[in-house]
Each structure stands twice: as structure tokens, then as C-alpha cells.
Amino acid sequence: MNIAWHSSMLEHQESSIVTDACTDLDVQQLIEAGRPWDAVAAGRMLPRLARLHGYGFEVDVAKVRAANLGVEAANLGGGFLFGVDLFGGTPRFGGGAPPPPPPSLLLGTAKKALDTCISGEGEPPLELTIAAVACAGSGVICGIPVEQMREDAMTELDLCKKGLRGAAVMLVAYLIPAMAALTSLDLRFNDIGAEGAKAIADALSWGRAGLTSLNLEDNNIGAEGAKTIANALQSGKAVLSSLNLADNALCGIDAYGQGTYDASGIQALASALAGNAVLTALDLSNNKLTNGRYVKQSKLSVHNKVGDMVKHEGLELQILYKDKESGGDVLLGTLAAIEAIAEALKVNTVLTICNLLKNDLDIKSATMLAEIGKEKRIMLSGIKHDQTEAKFGGYTLQPAEGILIASDLRVSLVLSSLSLHLNGISNEGAKAIAEALSSGRAVQTNLNLAGNPLGPSSGIGPEGARAIAEALRFKALLKELECARFSGTSNANRAARASPHTIACTLAFPSTSRNPLTHTRDSNALRSLKYDHLNDEKKGELRAVAKAILTIEM
């Protein structure tokens, strides 16, 4: 019995006459009608299905079922599923060294096995080949559990670091709408690119996917990929409540500063976000949203101030940040993407998390976003509302990010422990943290500021130190404060204790592991101040910070 596509054919599973009799299926009609997932459902629901037809080719379903498409001997694709050149580009992997190269479906012995299943003149189109594998492929193919996915046997699927790109992502996209039970999909670190993002977005837009959580972190989808995801969100058919787009060069600039800045993708996402009533958590961190770049103060005019437009490497960029206490780096960038996100946050009614860390924000924009976050109770640093401990150690966070995190301290009702060690939140970040602690809304009992240098030319200076110390006068809940810079094996690097009656602050600058700088103070007086092996500049910084703290009556 040869059955052409009909919109309701596979939706009426109760028709035993149809399912028992079907032997042939016109896949071309399904694909052209925008319903490729019906080929997957056919493989599950039609026990006598023998042949797939389309584009002048015929697929032997039994041979596809028997074909070994996951053998290591098929690994001739340089470690990238379905071949490296299907969509161009250079594959990347996040989170450390790339995994061992998986077998490739369209190269080597796996392709030879597939070729024996398909008859016709020439090379069959990719759409037909993928539909055939999705319909009848057995076991795990190229790291994708095709058989389990087709049988709708899982609620969560982890495809992190599988090397998926090109046709591999198309295979996953064909399978997703046939999985009514699947609610969570992890595709981190696969380099799916803009084409892969479009395939996934199409699967969401078909309106069959039940996915509520999608993680696309570090997939290099770019501005064009962002637009396709935005289209899926705007379609009204996607039911995502959590979406991770971190580290995806959403404005065309990658983590290394390479590429051409294009805010249209993030603006499309912002537009979709403004009207979306389902998505509650969105991660946009580490996407170079401002096209931020640091230059030396010496490269600019001494008269340039924050907010001025300047020429840099042929680009018109705005001065976003200058350390007023040093002649160090100056942050340049553009605010088009951030302004679009801010406007979306103002009108969105359901979002509770929007992670914007590591995007080179300026102080003014961060302050504006913080006000929106506090008013609408949106967490801006990725901290969850029920999270009690947050660790940002070694994130290389800058002053604006300290402001975003400080906003979250006011919003969270349960976050008691916060670690910001080994960052660069500077005076502005420290002051924002101090204001949050003093607000009466924060509930921190443990705060780690270690490794945020405490000198005016390198980080938290006297102004920031004074703000933190002042906050301790009113913050009875704070029991543990650490502000040491880790320097090896010294006991001085242990967390210091703080309470309304006693406070011990360890201030350490990188000198030598033999004799790190420390000073300790209780409710009466400064006990000791040691700065052996420090140069004159560091001694001056220490004295300034110590003076700031000592002026506060505890």
C-alpha cells in the first residue's frame, strides 16, 4: 500500500487498518509540506513499512534498520559528524580539549552502508538521507541515540560535546518534534553554527516540540543564528521556558574579538523577548554584546571622557569606561544591543533570569539594567531565585558586572554565600556590593572578595574599601568576609571573621609566598601591619586602604 502525505495520516494512531497495511511512504511530500518528523513517526507506527520514496530515489527500510551506521571504522570525517565541509567554517569545541572524534555518517564505511540502502541515479539529496536514518536507523548513530529518540523513550537528552554540526543537527531536528516526552535538550559545545541553529529553530517552530529547556551554549550561531531562534520564539509555537545562548557570538564578535559587529540578531531576540509570555530564564552571557575592546589611555586624547565617540581601527566607538584612578585601559564599544535588551526587559512580564555577565558593559548601562532588575525582580547574573550559594571565582568580572551582581543581592531572598574572588570589580563594583549589603534586602552571611586587588591603581581602592567597611557597621548578618589575595601557603589566606563586634580583614598583595602582607583588626585597634618585600607603590596602596578601614568606628 503506497501512501502519500496527508496532514492527519499519522496523527490518527487508532486506525489499525492504515498502520497494518502501509508499506510505502512518500517522504518527499512530507518534507515539502514542512513535516519531516512524520517520517520518524512512520518508523515507529508502521510495522510493515518497507520503502521510502522521494526525489527519484527509493529507500529500503529493512536495510537501513540493519545497517551499522555507528562503527568507529567510519571515522574518516576528521572528527566531525557528517563531514567537515557541509556548511563550511572551522569546528570549535568548548570546555577544554575536544573529545575523541566520533564516526561520520556520510563518509567512510557508514556512507557505503547507507548507499546500499538507497537506489536511484546520482547522489540522493541530504533531506532524504536524513529522513531515512531518522525513520529507521538503529541504536546510537554518531553519538545520537536515534532509536531511543524515535521511540520517544526519554525526557532529557544530553548531546553535549558530540561534535554535532551540519547534517547531524538536521537529524536531531527531524527527531525532536516526534518526541512528545522530551522536555530538556543539551547541545552545548557542538559548534552547530547558524545553519544548525536554523534547523533547531525550525523544529521548535513546527509546533510539535515539547521542549521547555534548550542549552545552546558555545555553538557559534552568530547574528544569523540568533535571528532564527528569535523567529522560533515569535512563532508562538515554541514552549521554551529556559534558553541558554551563552558564548555564541550573537553580535558577530567571538570571544577572541574576531568578526564583524552586527546587532541585528540580538535586536531580533530582544523584540521576540518583549512579547514572549513563556520564557522565564535566558542566558546571554559572554557574547561581546557591546563589541567591547580595551585600549591604552595613551592612545586617546587626554580630553576624551566617558560617553565620547572616538575612532578606533576604523570603527566609531563610544568610550564606555575609564578607571578614574589610573592611566590604564579604557573600554570602547557600542550600546545598540544592550539598549535593545533593556527595552525588552522593561516590557516583558514573565522573565525572572537574564544573565548578562561578561559582555563588557559600561557603568551607566549596568546601573540602568540593575534598576530594571530590582524593580521587576529579574536576576542579571545567572543566579537562580532559589540559589543559596553563588561562586564567580576567576570569572575576570569587571566593575559593571559587580553592579549586576549587587542588583541580584537585593532581589534574592535566600542567597547567603557569594564568592567573587580573583576578579576585578574595582571601586564601582565594591560600592554597589556595599550598598546592596546595607540595603536591608540582602541576606549574605558569607562574602569572598579575595583577589580583587585592593590598590587604587589596580582594583578596589580606598573608596571601595570604605564602602565595604561602612556596610559592615549595619550588616549584622555578615559573619565571614574574605578579602585576601591568594598567595600560596600562608595561614593568612584563611577566611577572616566579621560580626557587629569584631572584624578581621586580611589584605594581601602579590609579593612572595614566604611573607604575604597581612594585617588584622579587632574591635579595639589594628594589631599588625606588615609589608616586607613590597615596593613603595604597594606600600602606599596598603596604607591608603588601611586608613579607609580604620576611619570607620566599629
Side-chain angles (χ1 to χ4, degrees), residues 112-376:
K112 291 179 181 178
L114 266 179
D115 286 346
T116 65
C117 307
I118 305 174
S119 58
E121 294 294 326
E123 189 74 17
L126 182 62
E127 292 85 356
L128 177 67
T129 304
I130 299 304
V133 176
C135 173
S138 299
V140 177
I141 301 173
C142 303
I144 304 170
V146 173
E147 193 167 4
Q148 272 188 291
M149 292 176 71
R150 183 173 56 249
E151 296 304 317
D152 196 10
M154 56 183 67
T155 59
E156 298 181 358
L157 178 57
D158 184 355
L159 294 177
C160 176
K161 294 184 183 179
K162 297 295 185 182
L164 306 183
R165 62 191 312 269
V169 186
M170 187 185 298
L171 174 59
V172 173
Y174 275 25
L175 288 158
I176 288 173
M179 302 177 68
L182 185 68
T183 58
S184 177
L185 175 61
D186 187 348
L187 284 169
R188 289 174 296 158
F189 310 130
N190 277 299
D191 198 43
I192 69 173
E195 289 292 338
K198 183 180 185 305
I200 298 298
D202 287 345
L204 298 175
S205 298
W206 287 328
R208 297 273 303 217
L211 279 179
T212 58
S213 177
L214 175 62
N215 194 333
L216 294 178
E217 179 182 356
D218 197 354
N219 269 292
N220 196 31
I221 72 173
E224 292 305 311
K227 291 177 186 177
T228 62
I229 298 295
N231 290 338
L233 295 177
Q234 280 189 314
S235 71
K237 295 181 179 180
V239 294
L240 290 177
S241 60
S242 176
L243 175 62
N244 189 339
L245 296 177
D247 196 11
N248 265 296
L250 295 181
C251 285
I253 306 295
D254 65 19
Y256 305 100
Q258 303 299 309
T260 301
Y261 187 77
D262 178 3
S264 61
I266 202 71
Q267 287 168 333
L269 275 172
S271 178
L273 184 62
N276 188 279
V278 181
L279 194 67
T280 60
L282 176 63
D283 193 333
L284 297 175
S285 62
N286 202 28
N287 270 296
K288 293 286 184 183
L289 296 185
T290 66
N291 193 18
R293 54 199 61 204
Y294 287 89
V295 301
K296 293 298 181 183
Q297 173 69 61
S298 58
K299 293 186 177 293
L300 302 177
S301 167
V302 294
H303 301 294
N304 288 136
K305 59 184 182 300
V306 172
D308 286 353
M309 300 298 297
V310 297
K311 277 267 191 182
H312 177 70
E313 297 181 349
L315 300 175
E316 285 281 349
L317 298 173
Q318 188 175 356
I319 298 179
L320 300 182
Y321 177 73
K322 291 174 68 174
D323 187 344
K324 64 182 181 180
E325 295 177 328
S326 77
D329 291 343
V330 175
L331 176 62
L332 305 179
T334 181
L335 297 176
I338 296 301
E339 289 169 351
I341 291 295
E343 291 303 311
L345 295 185
K346 289 178 183 178
V347 298
N348 183 278
T349 59
V350 298
L351 201 68
T352 61
I353 298 174
C354 185
N355 189 351
L356 292 169
L357 294 186
K358 298 179 75 68
N359 277 303
D360 294 327
L361 301 187
D362 64 315
I363 300 299
K364 184 178 179 181
S365 294
T367 303
M368 172 188 64
L369 289 165
E371 290 302 317
I372 298 171
K374 286 183 289 186
E375 178 185 348
K376 307 201 71 175

Side-chain angles (χ1 to χ4, degrees), residues 482-519:
E482 182 174 346
C483 48
R485 186 177 182 87
F486 297 125
S487 55
T489 60
S490 170
N491 289 334
N493 295 325
R494 294 176 180 173
R497 304 292 174 180
S499 75
H501 302 292
T502 63
I503 174 173
C505 292
T506 303
L507 307 178
F509 290 95
S511 53
T512 68
S513 60
R514 293 176 301 159
N515 189 7
L517 167 68
T518 66
H519 84 262

Side-chain angles (χ1 to χ4, degrees), residues 95 173 206 268 304 335 392 421 431 451 481 536:
W206 287 328
N304 288 136
L335 297 176
F392 293 101
H421 70 281
K431 286 160 60 179
L481 169 68
D536 289 341

Side-chain angles (χ1 to χ4, degrees), residues 67-125:
N68 186 352
L69 304 178
V71 293
E72 291 298 331
N75 180 26
L76 300 178
F80 307 110
L81 300 185
F82 299 90
V84 68
D85 293 322
L86 286 174
F87 292 109
T90 302
R92 305 177 304 123
F93 292 90
S104 177
L105 182 58
L106 297 186
L107 294 173
T109 56
K111 185 178 188 305
K112 291 179 181 178
L114 266 179
D115 286 346
T116 65
C117 307
I118 305 174
S119 58
E121 294 294 326
E123 189 74 17

